[in-house]
Amino acid sequence: MPLAHIALGANLGDRQANILAALRALEHAPGINVAKVSTLMENPAVGGPADSPPFLNAAAELVTSLSPEDLLLAMLEIERSLGRHRAEKWGPRTIDLDLLLYEDRILHADHLTIPHPRMHQRAFVLMPLAQIAPEFIHPVLKKTIAQLADELKNT
């Protein structure tokens, strides 16, 4: 079955509990198995309002029988069930689930771009992802996740 890699983040409420609840919901969703999870890492909010609280971030590797589109729908439903409200772009949130990679696919659709178009620019994505998938090769940039994380650290 295909491997997918996702980012998880939360900066409202009990951040750790929100991330753990999202992981449990993913594990119980039909067609999804959580194979690996990084440690939780605290990071400042990027984008959004200047007074946004810091995030806890993690990455997870999923084994899934779902298509990328169906996986995204399942993730959006989990966000909704955990109280995510999309009031403002990059605003504070109880949970944020982003589909980063799905095998070595490259996809450009109306509501989904794989690989995630900004993942290589975000330490809060690459550092946890490098813990669980350091040798995975970014299908567009043709570099490993570890290489991308090292490059970002050195900028």
Side-chain angles (χ1 to χ4, degrees):
M1 283 200 287
L3 286 181
H5 293 90
I6 68 167
L8 302 96
N11 72 337
L12 289 179
D14 186 334
R15 302 171 304 163
Q16 181 175 346
N18 293 343
I19 290 172
L20 294 176
L23 289 166
R24 278 191 305 276
L26 286 162
E27 186 65 43
H28 289 99
I32 300 172
N33 180 48
V34 178
K36 295 180 186 175
V37 179
S38 72
T39 59
L40 297 174
M41 300 178 186
E42 187 167 76
N43 296 286
V46 174
D51 61 345
S52 291
F55 273 84
L56 271 186
N57 296 100
E61 181 176 275
L62 310 178
V63 178
T64 184
S65 60
L66 301 178
S67 68
E69 296 84 356
D70 288 341
L71 179 56
L72 177 64
L73 290 174
M75 292 166 53
L76 291 171
E77 176 57 27
I78 290 167
E79 285 183 343
R80 188 200 59 71
S81 73
L82 294 175
R84 168 90 189 256
H85 301 287
R86 294 178 182 273
E88 69 180 299
K89 187 172 185 164
W90 295 326
R93 46 202 167 254
T94 55
I95 192 69
D96 185 33
L97 303 176
D98 287 323
L99 181 52
L100 304 172
L101 299 159
Y102 188 99
E103 291 287 313
D104 60 354
R105 282 205 202 165
I106 298 170
L107 174 67
H108 298 283
D110 288 343
H111 299 290
L112 179 59
T113 300
I114 300 173
H116 190 286
R118 291 174 300 283
M119 66 177 278
H120 63 285
Q121 301 167 334
R122 296 176 167 174
F124 64 87
V125 170
L126 287 179
M127 298 313 155
L129 187 58
Q131 281 188 351
I132 62 169
E135 299 305 315
F136 193 90
I137 297 173
H138 189 290
V140 173
L141 302 176
K142 304 297 185 200
K143 295 180 180 180
T144 67
I145 299 304
Q147 287 173 315
L148 292 172
D150 284 344
E151 287 175 6
L152 197 59
K153 277 193 266 188
N154 295 324
T155 58

